[in-house]
Amino acid sequence: MLKQNKNILIITPFFAPETHAAVFRAHKLVKYLKREGWNPITLTVDINYNYNEDSKLLEDLKEVEIHRTKYVEPSLRGLYMWITGKDRTFKTLKKQGAFSKELASETNFRKSKVSLKQKVYHYLLENWLNSPDRFWTWEKSALKKANQLIKEQNIQFLYTTMPPFTTGKIGLQLKKQNPSIKWIADFRDPLTTVLRNHSEIEHVYLKQRKIKHKVVANADVVITASLAHKNILHDIFKGKYFNKIHFIPTGLDDDLWVPNIENKENTILYSGEYLIENGFYIFDLIAQYNSNSSNKIQLKIIGNKEINYKIIMENIHEEQLLENVEFLDHLPQNQLYKEIVKAKACLLISEGRWWCSFAKMVDYIALHMPVIALVPEISEAKTQLSKANLGVFLTNDLEQDLNILKNFFQQTEIKPNSEFCARYLASNQVNSFIKIISKL
């Protein structure tokens, strides 16, 4: 029997040391594929313009071959950096203290009027410069390098992750130029079926939709990060591609898993970027609970402090709602998990994203953490949290929710479904992936 070719090319613009949530699904796939005897070769961008970085993430991948090709953000910032060579990325500006003065003054976070120049610039971005997305300038260099690697290393498997749409375009070109390669297209989120994941501009949307449909039709395997998304694709394509579409949950890195602890802080922990669509009901709920309880709850928000503080300060003007709220900046994953297991419960809010398997929810389930959830009645979050026996579901009715919090903090003992929770470990994610592609 011939030895299986285990060279696999991973194409993603989001990769270590970047710490954006979009990084970790591919990061853990690469890390644990290597441990399982595969040879993942990663192709990514050479510049991270927008997000924090953690150099320790690269330590996990010391033996992994990583190639970075030219990417210029199609923006004034990208053009300025390209011409002058001066670094204006988020991580560098943050290190230089560019945001510290803003954080010191709440008034800087009140909404300001948008100038005509800004309106024109945003029009150009949305209509032309970000079509189909901001990574289109990376496509040419990525294709050239990918074809070189496929030829030189006899690569038999190709993995692309979407969003963005540009990686789908790259996958389509590589499949056309290398018909024998087996292409696995991974969709972290639904793209053209939910507004937050596609353009509001009609001609841009149509371009994005065409890419998505071509990817589903031409990929050998399609993977989704949520069961709901798999069912969405089943409906869109009338079952035509159902046999090649698979749901594989993202997993928490086994190396970073920490056991739950008994001595808990009286804290509800929110991890990640706080979104405006979350609403601000939870702040009122906690304030009302604390006004009638001697055992007060603290809300701890851990994530990009500049973003979280800005959003919350722009929308909450009653000081008493923030009396028991603590903001912590982004933490490396190993530190974040230690904070998570110290909390009494974690918080998950999703008013509309019924289809989404949140990165933070993956962590909570894997760590066996109770989750206070304000999510749609029919949703991926409620389905998976219920199966894990970790959900404490709010109703959006203040009186009922105060009783739910009271029962949880004073009486309820939650026993997780440990066997189900194990599905949300990276080792399980990668083993599921290997089983699928080994049959190609």
Side-chain angles (χ1 to χ4, degrees):
M1 181 180 293
L2 291 175
K3 186 177 180 181
Q4 184 179 16
N5 184 320
K6 293 187 175 182
N7 294 333
I8 178 168
L9 180 59
I10 310 287
I11 299 183
T12 172
F14 305 113
F15 204 65
E18 185 181 321
T19 57
H20 185 256
V23 168
F24 293 105
R25 186 165 168 88
H27 177 85
K28 287 174 278 197
L29 178 66
V30 169
K31 177 179 177 178
Y32 285 89
L33 275 174
K34 192 71 176 180
R35 289 193 184 180
E36 293 295 325
W38 287 70
N39 182 32
I41 300 161
T42 303
L43 178 58
T44 189
V45 296
D46 63 343
I47 297 179
N48 161 33
Y49 285 90
N50 290 334
Y51 305 109
N52 286 303
E53 291 188 353
D54 179 5
S55 59
K56 291 182 179 178
L57 289 175
L58 287 173
E59 294 177 10
D60 292 337
L61 309 174
K62 287 181 179 178
E63 298 180 358
V64 173
E65 192 175 323
I66 301 173
H67 299 269
R68 302 180 188 275
T69 62
K70 188 67 176 178
Y71 166 53
V72 177
E73 183 182 71
S75 65
L76 289 177
R77 171 176 60 173
L79 183 62
Y80 175 81
M81 286 178 56
W82 182 47
I83 293 173
T84 67
K86 294 181 180 179
D87 190 345
R88 304 294 292 171
T89 59
F90 171 83
K91 65 182 185 299
T92 298
L93 292 177
K94 182 178 180 179
K95 187 181 293 184
Q96 294 171 351
F99 307 108
S100 58
K101 291 182 180 179
E102 293 180 348
L103 283 173
S105 174
E106 295 179 9
T107 58
N108 286 331
F109 287 116
R110 304 308 177 194
K111 293 178 180 177
S112 58
K113 189 176 180 180
V114 178
S115 69
L116 178 60
K117 286 184 178 179
Q118 288 174 315
K119 288 180 180 179
V120 171
Y121 178 55
H122 286 301
Y123 174 84
L124 291 173
L125 283 176
E126 293 169 5
N127 281 268
W128 306 108
L129 295 177
N130 289 342
S131 177
D133 49 60
R134 68 184 177 91
F135 288 100
W136 64 267
T137 62
W138 179 53
E139 182 180 348
K140 184 177 180 180
S141 69
L143 275 171
K144 182 179 179 180
K145 188 64 178 180
N147 273 311
Q148 177 190 336
L149 291 169
I150 289 168
K151 182 179 180 180
E152 291 178 354
Q153 305 204 36
N154 188 28
I155 292 173
Q156 297 296 304
F157 297 95
L158 168 68
Y159 168 95
T160 60
T161 179
M162 294 171 66
F165 293 89
T166 294
T167 53
K169 286 189 69 182
I170 293 169
L172 286 165
Q173 286 296 315
L174 291 174
K175 180 67 175 178
K176 183 178 181 181
Q177 295 162 6
N178 307 274
S180 64
I181 203 166
K182 301 300 182 183
W183 177 22
I184 303 98
D186 188 25
F187 287 78
R188 297 190 312 280
D189 291 316
L191 294 174
T192 57
T193 48
V194 289
L195 182 57
R196 66 172 283 113
N197 288 331
H198 67 76
S199 174
E200 296 182 33
I201 309 302
E202 183 70 13
H203 71 89
V204 180
Y205 163 74
L206 291 174
K207 182 186 292 187
Q208 293 172 337
R209 184 176 180 273
K210 185 177 181 179
I211 294 168
K212 171 190 168 179
H213 281 239
K214 282 189 172 182
V215 169
V216 174
N218 288 278
D220 296 282
V221 169
V222 174
I223 296 173
T224 66
S226 79
L227 180 60
H229 186 198
K230 177 183 177 181
N231 292 330
I232 289 172
L233 293 176
H234 174 69
D235 285 352
I236 290 173
F237 296 100
K238 301 178 181 179
K240 183 177 180 180
Y241 304 115
F242 195 70
N243 289 333
K244 71 175 180 181
I245 302 175
H246 304 270
F247 160 47
I248 299 180
T250 303
L252 180 144
D253 191 327
D254 298 57
D255 290 348
L256 302 181
W257 187 88
V258 291
N260 228 312
I261 62 175
E262 292 185 5
N263 297 321
K264 298 280 191 176
E265 298 175 347
N266 220 41
T267 299
I268 300 174
L269 185 143
Y270 181 94
S271 169
E273 182 179 333
Y274 198 92
L275 303 174
I276 291 177
E277 64 232 48
N278 288 350
F280 303 92
Y281 167 73
I282 192 68
F283 295 89
D284 187 41
L285 176 63
I286 291 174
Q288 290 277 354
Y289 179 91
N290 285 338
S291 68
N292 296 300
S293 174
S294 58
N295 191 22
K296 298 188 185 302
I297 301 170
Q298 183 183 45
L299 175 60
K300 185 181 289 187
I301 300 174
I302 303 178
N304 189 310
K305 192 172 182 179
E306 288 83 11
I307 294 174
N308 289 338
Y309 191 86
K310 179 180 188 294
I311 289 172
I312 290 167
M313 293 307 300
E314 281 181 347
N315 291 278
I316 295 182
H317 306 285
E318 300 173 50
E319 291 185 8
Q320 69 271 21
L321 298 185
L322 298 173
E323 285 179 358
N324 291 285
V325 178
E326 179 184 6
F327 293 90
L328 294 180
D329 202 5
H330 167 84
L331 293 174
Q333 282 191 305
N334 61 334
Q335 295 179 34
L336 173 62
Y337 297 157
K338 291 176 182 177
E339 289 291 331
I340 286 175
V341 297
K342 287 194 296 185
K344 180 75 172 179
C346 294
L347 175 65
L348 182 66
I349 308 173
S350 172
E351 288 294 343
R353 288 187 290 165
W354 60 270
W355 42 266
C356 189
S357 180
F358 303 90
K360 57 180 72 78
M361 185 180 80
V362 168
D363 295 339
Y364 303 159
I365 292 177
L367 294 170
H368 298 189
M369 283 296 298
V371 179
I372 295 171
L374 186 58
V375 296
E377 184 65 25
I378 298 175
S379 64
E380 181 78 3
K382 186 157 189 176
T383 298
Q384 302 301 323
L385 288 172
S386 297
K387 289 180 179 180
N389 197 34
L390 291 172
V392 179
F393 299 106
L394 301 178
T395 66
N396 222 9
D397 178 280
L398 186 61
E399 186 175 343
Q400 289 186 52
D401 291 342
L402 286 171
N403 286 328
I404 290 170
L405 284 186
K406 181 179 178 181
N407 289 336
F408 174 74
F409 276 92
Q410 297 179 10
Q411 303 171 22
T412 304
E413 181 181 355
I414 289 182
K415 295 182 179 179
N417 179 343
S418 298
E419 184 177 350
F420 181 82
C421 292
R423 292 189 65 198
Y424 283 83
L425 291 172
S427 54
N428 189 286
Q429 172 193 342
V430 172
N431 285 331
S432 298
F433 180 86
I434 291 172
K435 286 179 183 177
I436 292 169
I437 66 172
S438 293
K439 296 176 182 178
L440 293 177

